[in-house]
Amino acid sequence: MSGPAPDGTAEHPWASRELDDLTALTALTGLASAHGVRYHMTAGDPPPSEADDWLPADRLLTPGTPELDRLLTAEYESSGHRTAHAAALTLAAVYAGRVTAAAVLQWALDGTVWDVRPHNVLVRPGTHGIAGVRLRVPAVLTAPARGTATGTVTGAATGAATGAAADRRDAPGSPGVRGAPEASEGPGAPGAPDAPEASEGPAEPEAPGGPEAPGGPEAAEAPGPGGRSAALPALHEAVLHSHLLPLADALHRATRAGRRQLRGGVAHGCATALCAATRPGPAQLARRWREFTAPVPELARLGDVVEIAHADGSARLRYLRNTCCLFYTSAEAVRCASCCLTPREERVRAYAGRTGPTSR
């Protein structure tokens, strides 16, 4: 899949279909109402009085821009980081887990692909993460504008207010886990956690300059022509190839944070978009995760989703990372719940003691 062209669009752009105001409002608020605030997006440009609070996402893809510096500084200061590259690693995960979360979940539910390409997105920095996301034009991607046969997205807009979830892998696993594959042994093996990757340059201590969709979850199970399978290339273009992966590269060039660790943050954020949802069941969305990562095995190797059985009888999908975001080096001095530095069994037990979705 091609990356962004200088004008912010992909070299082989997908056509976008703008939604009317009522449909867009229903869809954007419905997803957040059903699944949580991380999926909330607002349509349109902000009012003039708030314009300075928002950053164009396409300006974040180039090192040295005031917008990227501002976003990095906000994460550096709010998280109490001591190095710029650690702030970049944390930012990659929280950004992916918020800015493009609605697009990933909506695709998993009904094949809709929101146009979250960077030229169409504004973000508002917050305390340890992103406080707000706006779509300049509320639109969904349809077919490749140049007529390639990669697939289409049909009828997505009217069913965009949905209910979704987190899923399970089916293989013998650890206590409390259904379907947790055993980690491969040996450094660099696909399932083996990484120790924190050394920064590729000197550390810099100073901060850088609602309702269920029509048809319900069963309907979402059958992609068919123009469904999820056909929409996956559009999702990858909007979320990964034009947005999150170029952002990871920009963060690498700006701070010398390791590329693999940054991409581990991208994978973590995209997985969280599924794990934090409220329905349908874990198994269904674990399958979605495997569909999402199948064409990008380099992301699939950076962690895996497992179903955690809780003492109250509920089950949730959780993501176990194979890379480290160095959040434990911040002023908070705590490890993420998914941290690869914590043995797998301990992570599973810790998650089993929780009942709600978590972002870290």
Side-chain angles (χ1 to χ4, degrees), residues 273-350:
L274 302 181
C275 295
T278 60
R279 59 183 185 271
Q284 196 172 0
L285 283 208
R287 289 195 293 274
R288 301 293 166 264
W289 176 246
R290 294 194 289 274
E291 290 173 30
F292 179 79
T293 57
V296 280
E298 65 274 19
L299 291 187
R301 288 190 292 266
L302 300 178
D304 80 282
V305 293
V306 295
E307 182 185 346
I308 305 293
H310 298 287
D312 63 3
S314 65
R316 295 198 65 88
L317 200 69
R318 304 294 186 182
Y319 184 73
L320 303 182
R321 295 185 61 151
N322 289 338
T323 64
C324 182
C325 70
L326 300 183
F327 190 70
Y328 74 95
T329 68
S330 72
E332 290 196 33
V334 295
R335 292 180 183 177
C336 305
S338 62
C339 183
C340 66
L341 300 181
T342 302
R344 184 184 183 90
E345 294 297 325
E346 290 184 25
R347 285 181 275 173
V348 168
R349 283 195 297 270

Side-chain angles (χ1 to χ4, degrees), residues 150-297:
T150 4
T152 59
V153 182
T154 61
T158 56
T162 50
D167 214 61
R168 71 192 68 156
R169 259 187 183 146
D170 298 320
S174 311
V177 182
R178 297 177 192 169
E182 293 298 322
S184 303
E185 296 183 358
D194 294 338
E197 194 172 305
S199 174
E200 296 183 22
E204 299 177 8
E206 51 276 271
E212 213 61 54
E218 293 80 8
E221 272 298 305
R228 275 187 312 272
S229 298
L232 185 57
L235 182 72
H236 281 171
E237 182 62 42
V239 170
L240 295 178
H241 300 306
S242 73
H243 201 153
L244 298 182
L245 295 181
L247 175 63
D249 287 344
L251 291 171
H252 164 71
R253 296 197 302 274
T255 69
R256 307 305 294 168
R259 277 195 175 94
R260 190 169 189 271
Q261 284 176 284
L262 287 163
R263 291 189 171 205
V266 168
H268 181 199
C270 291
T272 298
L274 302 181
C275 295
T278 60
R279 59 183 185 271
Q284 196 172 0
L285 283 208
R287 289 195 293 274
R288 301 293 166 264
W289 176 246
R290 294 194 289 274
E291 290 173 30
F292 179 79
T293 57
V296 280

Side-chain angles (χ1 to χ4, degrees), residues 9 33 36 50 55 63 75 78 81 135 171 179 183-184 193 197 216 235 238 246 254 259 315 334 352-353 357:
T9 61
S33 296
E50 299 178 10
L55 306 177
E75 185 60 38
S78 64
H81 276 295
L135 294 182
S184 303
E197 194 172 305
L235 182 72
R259 277 195 175 94
V334 295

Side-chain angles (χ1 to χ4, degrees), residues 8 26 29 42 60 64 72 87 92 100 104 118 138 205 208 210 220 230 246 269 349-350 353-354:
T26 302
T29 58
T42 306
L60 305 175
L72 268 169
T100 58
V104 173
R349 283 195 297 270
R354 301 185 180 194

